[in-house]
Amino acid sequence: MRLMEEKILSEGKVLPGGVLKVGSFLNQQIDCRLLKEMGREIARLFSGCGITKVMTIESSGIAVAVAAGMELAVPVVFAKKHRSSNVDGQIYSAPVHSFTHNTDYAAVVSRDYLREDDVVLLVDDFLATGNAFQGLILLCGQAGARVAGICAAVEKGFQNGGDALRRAGYRVESLAVIDEMNEDKIVFRPQASTVL
Ligand code: 5GP
């Protein structure tokens, strides 16, 4: 998505450790015009797939997921992060290792919001190692729901999480894929399918 690539180039900051800071338009302040276009683009990519629900993980994925959910006219459900994996009750729970915080947590979602007949589009702000999406896939599996696609606003292709998910058979469409980045340059993977 050209708009996303331009925004990353003009406002993104590459931090040591392979982290891209996008606080000015995605992670703390949100560029609502860009967000709206992201929602439109995600809906364009996945329209006709029979999506019944968009799913993400708190908190930074929620805005992008809501933008997509509004365009697809389906509900958005977000998994919550629990410090302990030892949570009981009427929930599905999956362990996730956080790349940015280097900690483990349990992603949990109420059984009321994920059903066997759901066709789910997984959305997040970033796709790096793929741990967060793998956690969401486990939650969908526990519910018997089908994962129809995966979409990250920004995929860090050099961390290989996205390509591992593609090899596993998932349709992964990221709005911008970074194949290389350092303080001097950011190299995007050419993409055929996005139009905006
Ligand atoms: P993964 O589980 O794929 O390794 O990482 C995805 C999660 O880590 C996302 O939910 C995102 O919040 C966070 N994340 C990973 N890499 C970055 C990054 O470079 N910048 C920011 N802002 N968040 C990241």
Side-chain angles (χ1 to χ4, degrees):
M1 183 183 179
R2 198 175 43 78
L3 274 177
M4 175 63 76
E5 293 182 356
E6 285 171 3
K7 199 73 173 173
I8 291 169
L9 288 177
S10 61
E11 295 184 28
K13 289 199 172 50
V14 179
L15 303 182
V19 172
L20 179 68
K21 197 171 168 227
V22 292
S24 70
F25 61 94
L26 195 57
N27 279 163
Q28 184 159 19
Q29 173 171 264
I30 293 175
D31 180 331
C32 293
R33 191 184 71 92
L34 176 66
L35 186 70
K36 197 170 182 179
E37 295 301 335
M38 289 162 64
R40 288 180 52 196
E41 179 65 358
I42 296 170
R44 188 189 70 77
L45 288 164
F46 291 96
S47 68
C49 298
I51 305 292
T52 64
K53 206 159 274 181
V54 175
M55 186 178 190
T56 188
I57 193 157
E58 68 174 359
S59 57
S60 49
I62 294 176
V64 187
V66 169
M70 285 199 290
E71 292 293 332
L72 288 162
V74 297
V76 174
V77 61
F78 59 92
K80 297 188 173 221
K81 292 176 180 170
H82 275 248
R83 220 176 275 272
S84 152
S85 57
N86 194 13
V87 215
D88 53 11
Q90 296 302 304
I91 54 159
Y92 300 115
S93 172
V96 176
H97 179 77
S98 164
F99 165 74
T100 39
H101 297 106
N102 196 21
T103 50
D104 296 314
Y105 63 89
V108 303
V109 66
S110 164
R111 290 176 184 236
D112 292 337
Y113 307 134
L114 204 53
R115 295 159 38 124
E116 202 174 48
D117 54 359
D118 273 322
V119 179
V120 183
L121 172 62
L122 304 180
V123 169
D124 204 356
D125 60 341
F126 273 87
L127 167 53
T129 64
N131 286 332
F133 278 126
Q134 297 283 5
L136 294 177
I137 289 169
L138 282 176
L139 295 178
C140 288
Q142 289 168 25
R146 181 163 75 80
V147 175
I150 294 174
C151 184
V154 185
E155 176 179 338
K156 293 189 293 179
F158 56 90
Q159 288 187 270
N160 299 320
D163 290 333
L165 287 164
R166 290 182 184 95
R167 279 197 301 276
Y170 293 99
R171 179 179 170 203
V172 182
E173 303 272 6
S174 301
L175 301 183
V177 182
I178 298 173
D179 270 338
E180 197 188 331
M181 69 178 197
N182 57 45
E183 280 119 73
D184 303 320
K185 65 170 182 180
I186 295 177
V187 180
F188 294 102
R189 186 178 298 180
Q191 282 178 288
S193 58
T194 59
V195 289
L196 287 171

